[in-house]
Amino acid sequence: MEINELTAAEARVWQAFRTGEPVDFREAGGDNAADGADWGPERSVRAPVLRTLLLSTQQQDGEIPRLRLSGARITGHLNLMYAIVDHPLHLRYCHFDESPDFYGTRLRQLNLRGSVLPAVNLASTRIDGPLRMTDCRVRGPVRLAGAEIAGALFMDGAELTTSDPSVPVLQLHQAVLGDGFAAPGLRVRGEMLLDGATVGGSIALDGAELSNPGGHVLRAQSIEVRADVRARTLRTQGGIDLRGSRIAGCLDFTRARLSNPGGMALRASSCTIGELWLYRCEPIEGRLHLRRSRIEVLGFESEVAPGEVLFNNLTYTTLTPHEPAERRLPLLERDGDGYVPYAYEQLAAAYRHVGDEGAARRVQLAKLRRHRTTLPWLGRLWGHLQDLTVGYGFRPLRAAVWLLSLLTAGSIAYAVHHPRPLKASEAPEFNPVFYTLDLLLPVISFGQEGAFAPVDGYQYLSYVLILTGWILATTVIAGVSRSVTRQ
């Protein structure tokens, strides 16, 4: 393309490029790039002109070429596939008539701030600096699969939509970001795909609005984030899938609203996470799936949890805020896997970790009561008996109350009606209290039981005392054994 074929607007861009001077076609009061289709030739630049400028212009001695273009209408197809662009590329507040293609391109820096695009292909691109798409409006897929960005990816305030819900609107799978992904205030209508991505810094989705009803708003399986994922005040209509991910810092959903009725609102199974925060959130609509994950600090209030959770093999060290066991236990009863012993053991361990042994015992008791509901009728009967008598060993004072009650009843009964001695000449003096103790305690003997024989109804009373004594002793021993085993 010859320089004399350029329009006045293009010639201005061509001359400014050599010295890196900015070219800004915007009006003094500012204008909206969404209206760029109506901009005339005075601020239009053909895409082939930009391609020729970036790939063939020679550097002027003592100057650093840069394309710094603002407020232009880019007409035609900007095709830079597999190109090596040695100059920083700024196309700010521009309107693209067609989707630019940077597939496999090597760039120094790319700034599309405030621009409007039908779509953009940056798959397999290598960028030596940051990629800035702040306040962009993209009406089709943003393809960044396999991209390598040495700096950060900025999408704060951007709006991404698509007419085809079957195609992810943001495709960042297998991408590598040397720094973070900053997208506070991002608005997405469709699916964000980040499977297998690596982020060297943090992901920021504070105040973002993600909508894909009935599907995923964020699918980020097996991602690695070396700092935090901040999603405070996030609003979602669709599921978040983080299974298999590694997040070194905090996954923060403080004051977020996670909604996917009838589906999975948040799936973070098989993950390794430093801290997971669900503080002051609205109640989650949909299922919460944390199976097999390892979390150092798990923070959420009980009322945030949804109607169904999946906590089997979830491991955490600290559970915050500290709440009574009675507030946490109903959550375990809503586990979609039914009775999950490990979930109770993990909750009890968390209470022991902060020194609340009383709460840990209440959790263990609740576990045994829940387990009882899974047993056949004979096992349930035996469980009810252990619970009633000694609270499965967690209520040892009940044994003393039962013993004292039975001892009092037996002592009064036999004091009123002495049993006859078997051998009057050899029998010791009758003592109703120690006679009753002889009947109740299966091992200890005070020499009373073998010397006297009750008759009629008092004989049946002795049978009842012997039987209840054996049952009481067995349940006490079983409870003590469980306590010793837990220690």
Side-chain angles (χ1 to χ4, degrees):
M1 178 177 293
E2 299 294 336
I3 192 169
N4 56 11
E5 297 177 3
L6 301 179
T7 66
E10 293 167 349
R12 180 181 171 188
V13 174
W14 193 283
Q15 294 299 325
F17 172 77
R18 295 177 180 273
T19 58
E21 293 296 321
V23 176
D24 193 344
F25 290 111
R26 290 177 295 172
E27 299 176 357
D31 47 24
N32 191 344
D35 302 325
D38 298 327
W39 294 342
E42 72 282 356
R43 56 190 301 182
S44 297
V45 178
R46 289 169 292 171
V49 172
L50 295 180
R51 174 186 167 87
T52 303
L53 182 65
L54 292 169
L55 300 183
S56 62
T57 303
Q58 298 297 317
Q59 181 171 338
Q60 184 173 326
D61 292 342
E63 301 292 347
I64 300 176
R66 284 185 294 173
L67 180 59
R68 302 169 66 189
L69 178 59
S70 301
R73 177 184 178 185
I74 311 299
T75 61
H77 181 212
L78 180 57
N79 184 359
L80 291 171
M81 286 180 62
Y82 303 111
I84 299 177
V85 180
D86 291 327
H87 323 293
L89 179 55
H90 293 196
L91 297 169
R92 303 165 68 245
Y93 304 101
C94 292
H95 180 95
F96 288 78
D97 285 355
E98 298 183 28
S99 303
D101 195 343
F102 297 94
Y103 181 88
T105 305
R106 176 71 181 268
L107 300 167
R108 289 289 184 88
Q109 184 186 30
L110 179 60
N111 188 341
L112 297 171
R113 183 188 186 107
S115 293
V116 175
L117 307 97
V120 59
N121 188 0
L122 287 154
S124 301
T125 299
R126 293 184 62 188
I127 303 177
D128 296 335
L131 169 59
R132 188 175 292 276
M133 298 185 67
T134 298
D135 296 327
C136 279
R137 303 292 181 267
V138 187
R139 298 183 296 273
V142 177
R143 295 181 171 91
L144 281 158
E148 296 182 23
I149 303 173
L153 170 60
F154 295 92
M155 285 191 167
D156 42 313
E159 182 177 312
L160 313 180
T161 60
T162 179
S163 59
D164 185 359
S166 65
V167 177
V169 66
L170 176 59
Q171 302 172 22
L172 259 172
H173 49 294
Q174 308 303 325
V176 178
L177 307 183
D179 200 343
F181 175 27
L186 174 68
R187 298 187 299 280
V188 176
R189 302 294 180 267
E191 179 181 338
M192 295 173 59
L193 179 61
L194 277 73
D195 287 356
T198 301
V199 181
S202 297
I203 294 178
L205 292 169
D206 299 323
E209 297 179 7
L210 312 179
S211 177
N212 188 24
H216 289 102
V217 293
L218 174 59
R219 187 148 54 93
Q221 300 177 19
S222 302
I223 66 167
E224 181 178 354
V225 182
R226 293 168 185 164
D228 302 327
V229 176
R230 299 191 304 271
R232 296 190 171 197
T233 66
L234 173 71
R235 296 292 183 265
T236 67
Q237 294 181 5
I240 297 177
D241 189 349
L242 301 172
R243 77 182 79 173
S245 296
R246 298 175 61 88
I247 301 173
C250 177
L251 176 57
D252 186 359
F253 288 107
T254 300
R255 295 189 299 277
R257 183 180 184 274
L258 307 181
S259 177
N260 189 25
M264 198 69 66
L266 174 60
R267 178 168 188 170
S269 57
S270 302
C271 292
T272 302
I273 302 173
E275 301 179 19
L276 172 58
W277 292 355
L278 290 163
Y279 290 133
R280 296 184 292 279
C281 296
E282 297 184 27
I284 296 174
E285 298 178 2
R287 292 188 295 277
L288 175 61
H289 189 341
L290 299 177
R291 285 194 196 121
R292 301 178 301 279
S293 288
R294 299 182 63 87
I295 303 172
E296 187 66 25
V297 178
L298 177 59
F300 72 98
E301 297 95 349
S302 299
E303 58 270 18
V304 170
E308 182 179 346
V309 299
L310 296 166
F311 283 175
N312 198 7
N313 287 315
L314 167 65
T315 301
Y316 49 90
T317 302
T318 303
L319 180 63
T320 63
H322 185 74
E323 294 184 347
E326 291 76 11
R327 286 177 55 81
R328 298 288 188 186
L329 285 169
L331 180 62
L332 304 188
E333 297 174 2
R334 303 201 297 269
D335 199 299
D337 291 328
Y339 169 60
V340 180
Y342 186 85
Y344 287 88
E345 292 293 338
Q346 181 60 65
L347 180 58
Y351 278 120
R352 290 195 194 97
H353 182 72
V354 296
D356 193 343
E357 289 294 336
R361 288 193 295 271
R362 286 190 288 274
V363 173
Q364 291 284 1
L365 179 57
K367 171 195 169 186
L368 293 168
R369 288 172 175 169
R370 181 81 185 280
H371 174 63
R372 185 174 66 210
T373 63
T374 67
L375 300 175
W377 72 270
L378 188 58
R380 292 197 301 272
L381 179 62
W382 176 243
H384 278 295
L385 187 58
Q386 292 187 77
D387 194 2
L388 180 64
T389 53
V390 292
Y392 286 101
F394 294 101
R395 301 288 187 267
L397 287 179
R398 288 188 184 179
V401 172
W402 278 104
L403 280 172
L404 184 60
S405 300
L406 293 171
L407 177 61
T408 302
S411 298
I412 293 173
Y414 292 117
V416 172
H417 190 282
H418 289 198
R420 62 180 179 82
L422 295 177
K423 295 181 180 181
S425 59
E426 300 178 2
E429 181 180 353
F430 179 74
N431 186 308
V433 176
F434 284 97
Y435 181 74
T436 305
L437 282 174
D438 253 353
L439 296 174
L440 284 172
L441 303 178
V443 177
I444 301 175
S445 175
F446 294 99
Q448 293 279 318
E449 180 185 0
F452 299 91
V455 295
D456 300 330
Y458 295 96
Q459 184 176 6
Y460 290 106
L461 176 59
S462 68
Y463 295 156
V464 171
L465 292 174
I466 293 171
L467 180 60
T468 54
W470 272 103
I471 293 174
L472 191 61
T474 303
T475 53
V476 169
I477 292 171
V480 171
S481 297
R482 275 193 294 268
S483 298
V484 172
T485 301
R486 285 191 298 272
Q487 296 302 323

